Amino acid sequence: MRFRNDSHIPLILIVALLLGLATACRQQSAASSIQSSIPAASSLTRPSTKPAPTRTVAVAPATGDFADAVRAAARHGLGVWLESDLVKRWRQGTSSFNQAVAQLGSLAAIRGVVGIKIADEMGYHDGLTTASQIKSFLTAASTALHRVAPGKQLLVDMIVPELGCLPNHQPPLLWATECTVKSRGQYPQLSTDSITSYLQMHAISVLDLSTGLLSDGSYAGWGVDRDDAQQAAWTAVRALGWPSLVTLHARKALAHPGNYPGTAAQAAADVRTWVDLPLAGGAQSIDVWTWRQMYQGSVNRLLNPDLQSNALWAALRARKAKGDVLFTHFSPHSLESSLNADLGVMAQVFSDVFVAAGTG
């Protein structure tokens, strides 16, 4: 219909606009009501406040002589521990340290690797002369290796000179007291109190321990013998509470140049001091250095040359037969015969082996 009176047009337009505005408001109100029942987009995508799990670092597959040795040792039923001196690499700087860590991570991925030795005689003539330095090294090494080798045990070996000073002997001996004072003064970073503080960090899971025994002649002058000293040392270790903080291994160098120079009686005495007494005192296993290695101009080994047995080997083999856990050290670059021949004979006595990792 057509309006003849143009004055009505503005009024009609105003009414229409008002009706349209009211409709829009109702629609907006309904939309707002629906929207209020839906969580905001930001609340749906907000990340969890829980800490993210530690991320591991991908490592390249291991190749080369050291990797071949690790795989061969595992095939012979030996538990494999990678042997490394990360102290040296850490002191050389970040680049050298990271290269060594990457190499260890690569080897640790091989089936059969149980753990990694990160320091040899830590704190003893290796440049780490204070407790603070040792703690910094342990923190750096454990953090790095847990990223590239998750789940692997970390081990250090240490000499503790004051344990060889007949600790807590009754009655107290003047020479033993002087020995303790001298050891703490010369190696404060290796005092028993310092070592307890390292173990309380839980940066490592295994301590390979040398009790730092003195010569037989020294103990004879004190009116005791080395077995007395070894028992006193491991009694002190238990009193210090170390078995509750870490798995303890004992360590001793029994390798010799050429043929074994001792008798069956000497072998039995050595195995009693360095194997039987530590195991009775709380050690879980014994680290016997070494399968075969050049040392001070001669090849040192546990067997006689050409994989021939001797009285020491027979005594160690008897301990394996009764269930003792023995470790040794091995490098694919120092073989008596061949990789498989050496490892096959080694497995007659040893349950585990430290395999050189090529990290220096």
Side-chain angles (χ1 to χ4, degrees):
M1 182 177 65
R2 181 179 169 197
F3 292 96
R4 295 182 181 179
N5 189 343
D6 294 338
S7 65
H8 288 236
I9 294 175
L11 178 60
I12 293 172
L13 289 174
I14 290 170
V15 170
L17 289 170
L18 290 173
L19 290 173
L21 180 61
T23 299
C25 288
R26 285 194 299 272
Q27 292 174 341
Q28 180 65 34
S29 175
S32 298
S33 176
I34 294 172
Q35 185 68 26
S36 67
S37 67
I38 300 175
S42 60
S43 69
L44 291 175
T45 59
R46 185 179 298 121
S48 171
T49 58
K50 295 180 180 179
T54 301
R55 298 182 61 186
T56 58
V57 177
V59 295
T63 59
D65 293 347
F66 300 109
D68 290 345
V70 170
R71 294 187 177 97
R75 286 196 301 271
H76 283 276
L78 293 158
V80 177
W81 297 70
L82 304 177
E83 183 154 24
S84 177
D85 181 11
L86 279 184
V87 172
K88 177 181 176 181
R89 302 299 286 267
W90 182 69
R91 295 184 68 232
Q92 287 174 344
T94 301
S95 177
S96 178
F97 179 73
N98 288 343
Q99 288 174 5
V101 166
Q103 169 78 352
L104 291 170
S106 180
L107 291 170
I110 298 173
R111 184 183 298 275
V113 174
V114 177
I116 303 170
K117 175 182 169 181
I118 64 174
D120 185 66
E121 298 183 351
M122 186 177 70
Y124 189 78
H125 304 300
D126 63 354
L128 300 181
T129 59
T130 68
S132 177
Q133 285 178 315
I134 290 176
K135 288 180 179 180
S136 294
F137 163 73
L138 289 173
T139 297
S142 63
T143 299
L145 287 171
H146 284 313
R147 288 178 63 82
V148 301
K152 304 303 179 184
Q153 298 185 62
L154 301 184
L155 175 152
V156 299
D157 79 35
M158 301 185 76
I159 296 174
V160 185
E162 84 178 69
L163 288 177
C165 297
L166 224 64
N168 304 317
H169 185 272
Q170 296 299 324
L173 300 176
L174 174 61
W175 293 112
T177 301
E178 290 185 353
C179 172
T180 300
V181 172
K182 180 180 178 181
S183 295
R184 290 179 179 177
Q186 190 171 2
Y187 302 104
Q189 72 276 17
L190 297 178
S191 71
T192 54
D193 288 343
S194 293
I195 291 173
T196 298
S197 73
Y198 308 148
L199 301 184
Q200 288 172 337
M201 295 172 61
H202 299 292
I204 61 168
S205 51
V206 184
L207 174 62
D208 206 355
L209 176 65
S210 171
T211 49
L213 298 194
L214 306 177
S215 68
D216 291 354
S218 295
Y219 292 126
W222 298 0
V224 297
D225 61 26
R226 72 179 187 187
D227 283 357
D228 294 326
Q230 186 74 294
Q231 289 175 317
W234 282 94
T235 298
V237 165
R238 293 196 303 274
L240 288 163
W242 292 356
S244 67
L245 297 172
V246 74
T247 298
L248 287 170
H249 297 180
R251 59 186 292 265
K252 176 61 179 176
L254 292 177
H256 50 82
N259 291 328
Y260 178 64
T263 62
Q266 181 61 53
D270 285 344
V271 170
R272 170 176 165 75
T273 301
W274 308 113
V275 177
D276 298 345
L277 293 179
L279 289 174
Q284 300 299 306
S285 64
I286 308 297
D287 169 11
V288 183
W289 186 89
T290 179
W291 174 252
R292 187 184 192 277
Q293 183 174 319
M294 182 67 72
Y295 179 69
Q296 294 184 346
S298 300
V299 174
N300 283 248
R301 52 171 73 82
L302 296 170
L303 286 156
N304 288 350
D306 301 320
L307 300 177
Q308 297 301 302
S309 186
N310 56 40
L312 174 63
W313 186 258
L316 292 172
R317 190 167 182 173
R319 295 309 188 276
K320 169 70 178 296
K322 75 169 191 166
D324 292 349
V325 178
L326 306 177
F327 288 49
T328 195
H329 302 251
F330 174 74
S331 170
H333 296 162
S334 184
L335 300 174
E336 192 69 23
S337 176
S338 68
L339 184 63
N340 283 307
D342 282 35
L343 289 168
V345 176
M346 184 187 301
Q348 297 173 3
V349 164
F350 297 103
S351 305
D352 295 69
V353 59
F354 292 102
V355 176
T359 57

